[in-house]
Amino acid sequence: MSQKHLKEAFISNLNGTSLLEISLGLSLAPLCLLCRGLLFILHYLHYGKPLRSRKYSLLLDFLVLVSPLLFSCTVLSSVLFFVPIIIAAACAGIFSKIYSQRRHETRVPFRQIVKGFQETYLDPGYIPAITVFRVYVNVLTSISILAVDFPQYPRRYAKAETYGTGVMDFGVGAFIFGNALVCPEVRQKPYVPQPKFSSLARQFFSVWPLIFLGVGRLLSVKSIEYHEHTSEYGVHWNFFFTLAFVRLAASLLLAIFPKTKSWVVAINLAVLYQLILNTTSLKMFILHGSNGRDTRVGFLNANREGLLSLFGYLAIYMASVQVGLWLLKCRNSVKGWTEAVCSLLLTALVLFVFLHVSQAYVDPVSRRMANLSYCIWVLAHCLTFLICFVMTDLTLVFTKLLVKGSSVPCCWNVVKPPNASTEPETEAVPIGGEGKLSHICLISAINKNQLLFFLLANVMTGIVNILIDTIHSTTAFTLCILHLYMFFNCLIMYILHAKNIVLKFW
């Protein structure tokens, strides 16, 4: 077999992993974020000033936020259950050190601290959990698209062939979810009157880079005979095209139907699509082509997975718009966000129950078809992932209140209550403290140029695969390549952020 066929076989005919293992893997990112935030606060407690060095902050961010994820999906994948426990224990140890040192300075009872925390007001104009969610989906995707070509990346984490729940299967849906959370229809102020189809017109203009990137990827892959998984999207289709067409179709639907009812549209889309899959020959067509022997003759046959899975991804997008609208409701207190977490958690639990029923009586999860079970699975896990980030932020807010003046990049700002303008200065962390740290935050750096980061990761993945025989790489060499690859991508984003450069011109 040629190198191209060897690599294609290496990522084909896989069946995914368990929902529990994916949940354990997703818990790592919030724990890493918590550990990094606590380290920033501990540094302030010891030295009386925030970490200002750009070099050390980049190194800290990479080692704590990115490196554990690289290890967990390679050499530590066989003991993944213990990794979250170890990081959680480290977080508990750091918090205990912060609290014990703070208790020596002030004798305020713990119950009073908790009461004050519940009454704390947060900056309503920024929800860091949404930013962190989108950045981490991008980071995890960037790690996986290269790591999957190395033998140290477990085959069960790669995309499943037909049915199954691989880590990379989740990543595709999470990308759609993250895009919908910040779409123009969600960010549009409710009290600002706008023409009904204005968002649709803006989306037509804003998706051209995705179309351009999709065409560029298609031409480059075909011209250099790069290995590709045909049953993923088809012969000519790719994820850039999926993103572009889902955004356009969603904007059209949101121009027709009230955006506050986008969840109704999502349910109808997903259920109707599943009914058609089960009652017609559409499922057989997607899996085996029009002749039943996996023909790729004709545009529809050649790209049937990419074209028909658009209905499932569109359902995920519409449901995610509803989540975005709900998250942006003005909740400016810790108590309000605690109640929001409970509501999100209840919704996620209901979705997991529906997922069990759907898999048992309708159809197993299939990313290839983007069926009903896949839509429910993606939404349930995305909500769980988001909940973990909100809880992480609330924990960091509580810790910042213990250490007055401390700051954590990409964490909620503590502000005065709305009716406290005439009252004496409170002990809340000033907003300016966060702003000063924003320029040395890797999360903010990636967030500023997310599409560029994703594109750079794709280009670097291609270069590495062309230059290196990834299938026969040793463990030490694999870890070295993956760390250099991710550090280079992060460093480019960091430099652009430090120079305040945003490469977006559409």
Side-chain angles (χ1 to χ4, degrees):
M1 294 176 71
S2 67
Q3 189 74 3
K4 177 179 184 291
H5 290 124
L6 274 173
K7 289 192 174 184
E8 286 174 354
F10 192 58
I11 57 174
S12 301
N13 302 312
L14 304 171
N15 299 313
T17 185
S18 66
L19 298 180
L20 177 61
E21 187 167 21
I22 292 175
S23 299
L24 282 173
L26 290 179
S27 70
L28 289 176
L31 285 171
C32 290
L33 188 71
L34 178 62
C35 184
R36 174 259 209 166
L38 292 173
L39 286 172
F40 267 102
I41 297 171
L42 184 63
H43 180 276
Y44 183 88
L45 188 63
H46 279 180
Y47 297 100
K49 60 181 180 179
L51 181 62
R52 298 291 187 188
S53 169
R54 292 185 176 185
K55 180 174 65 176
Y56 289 127
S57 64
L58 173 61
L59 191 61
L60 174 66
D61 277 0
F62 184 80
L63 290 177
V64 180
L65 300 181
V66 179
S67 193
L69 305 180
L70 279 168
F71 281 107
S72 66
C73 68
T74 50
V75 293
L76 297 180
S77 58
S78 58
V79 290
L80 184 64
F81 178 79
F82 297 101
V83 180
I85 296 175
I86 292 170
I87 299 177
C91 291
I94 298 169
F95 178 83
S96 175
K97 188 172 181 62
I98 292 170
Y99 181 73
S100 61
Q101 192 160 338
R102 187 258 182 200
R103 192 174 56 182
H104 285 105
E105 298 172 3
T106 175
R107 298 284 181 179
V108 180
F110 184 77
R111 186 177 297 179
Q112 187 177 332
I113 297 172
V114 173
K115 185 180 178 183
F117 168 66
Q118 291 174 337
E119 296 170 355
T120 298
Y121 279 80
L122 306 171
D123 181 9
Y126 174 58
I127 304 173
I130 294 178
T131 299
V132 177
F133 175 92
R134 298 181 72 242
V135 167
Y136 255 116
V137 167
N138 221 325
V139 168
L140 290 167
T141 302
S142 299
I143 292 172
S144 294
I145 59 175
L146 179 58
V148 70
D149 294 314
F150 290 90
Q152 289 75 20
Y153 188 86
R155 296 301 89 195
R156 64 185 185 276
Y157 288 1
K159 288 178 181 175
E161 187 68 28
T162 303
Y163 294 104
T165 52
V167 173
M168 295 184 73
D169 294 311
F170 170 74
V172 178
F175 228 104
I176 298 288
F177 184 93
N179 271 280
L181 287 181
V182 295
C183 70
E185 291 84 2
V186 170
R187 288 183 281 111
Q188 178 184 316
K189 300 295 182 183
Y191 48 80
V192 178
Q194 291 192 0
K196 195 168 186 180
F197 289 89
S198 62
S199 292
L200 180 60
R202 284 198 303 272
Q203 288 285 39
F204 266 108
F205 180 69
S206 66
V207 300
W208 74 261
L210 294 173
I211 301 290
F212 178 78
L213 292 173
V215 172
R217 176 178 171 80
L218 172 63
L219 294 176
S220 60
V221 165
K222 299 301 180 185
S223 63
I224 65 174
E225 294 191 345
Y226 190 76
H227 66 278
E228 52 185 332
H229 193 185
T230 304
S231 65
E232 188 177 345
Y233 295 107
V235 178
H236 311 103
W237 203 263
N238 57 58
F239 187 55
F240 290 112
F241 291 140
T242 295
L243 273 178
F245 280 90
V246 165
R247 283 176 60 175
L248 286 176
S251 293
L252 180 60
L253 288 174
L254 290 168
I256 298 171
F257 301 101
K259 61 183 181 182
T260 53
K261 300 297 181 184
S262 58
W263 66 276
V264 178
V265 178
I267 292 173
N268 280 283
L269 263 174
V271 172
L272 182 61
Y273 176 52
Q274 185 64 53
L275 282 173
I276 295 172
L277 284 173
N278 285 1
T279 57
T280 67
S281 59
L282 185 63
K283 183 188 295 186
M284 293 302 294
F285 172 72
I286 295 174
L287 298 180
H288 305 293
S290 58
N291 67 349
R293 292 191 295 272
D294 201 29
T295 178
R296 293 288 174 180
V297 178
F299 182 76
L300 186 57
N301 265 306
N303 303 287
R304 55 184 185 266
E305 294 92 349
L307 291 169
L308 293 169
S309 63
L310 287 173
F311 294 103
Y313 290 126
L314 183 57
I316 293 172
Y317 192 99
M318 295 298 290
S320 307
V321 167
Q322 190 73 57
V323 175
L325 290 170
W326 188 81
L327 285 173
L328 289 182
K329 285 182 179 177
C330 187
R331 295 182 185 86
N332 55 1
S333 68
V334 167
K335 186 178 180 181
W337 274 104
T338 305
E339 293 170 355
V341 165
C342 294
S343 299
L344 285 172
L345 190 59
L346 180 61
T347 305
L349 289 173
V350 170
L351 285 172
F352 276 116
V353 171
F354 283 155
L355 175 61
H356 176 74
V357 173
S358 181
Q359 290 212 95
Y361 300 104
V362 181
D363 214 11
V365 172
S366 173
R367 184 261 325 146
R368 188 173 177 181
M369 292 182 281
N371 59 3
L372 177 63
S373 294
Y374 177 77
C375 295
I376 298 173
W377 172 56
V378 167
L379 290 170
H381 263 101
C382 282
L383 285 178
T384 306
F385 202 31
L386 196 60
I387 289 166
C388 290
F389 284 126
V390 174
M391 292 174 66
T392 297
D393 278 326
L394 291 175
T395 305
L396 290 175
V397 167
F398 179 79
T399 314
K400 285 196 299 180
L401 291 175
L402 294 178
V403 183
K404 303 299 184 292
S406 60
S407 298
V408 178
C410 279
C411 179
W412 255 314
N413 295 331
V414 179
V415 297
K416 291 182 183 179
N419 57 352
S421 55
T422 58
E423 293 179 8
E425 192 73 26
T426 65
E427 294 185 339
V429 179
I431 295 177
E434 304 293 339
K436 291 174 184 175
L437 279 174
S438 63
H439 71 286
I440 58 170
C441 178
L442 184 58
I443 292 172
S444 297
I446 296 174
N447 183 56
K448 262 194 174 180
N449 287 288
Q450 288 212 45
L451 183 57
L452 179 65
F453 181 80
F454 184 58
L455 176 61
L456 181 63
N458 275 268
V459 172
M460 290 299 297
T461 296
I463 292 172
V464 171
N465 270 283
I466 291 169
L467 297 177
I468 295 172
D469 178 12
T470 56
I471 296 178
H472 301 103
S473 297
T474 62
T475 300
F477 183 74
T478 297
L479 290 174
C480 183
I481 291 296
L482 288 175
H483 275 84
L484 285 173
Y485 153 80
M486 282 304 298
F487 187 77
F488 176 78
N489 293 344
C490 292
L491 180 62
I492 297 297
M493 298 302 107
Y494 189 83
I495 292 171
L496 290 174
H497 184 43
K499 296 182 179 297
N500 200 29
I501 298 173
V502 181
L503 296 179
K504 184 174 181 179
F505 43 84
W506 56 90

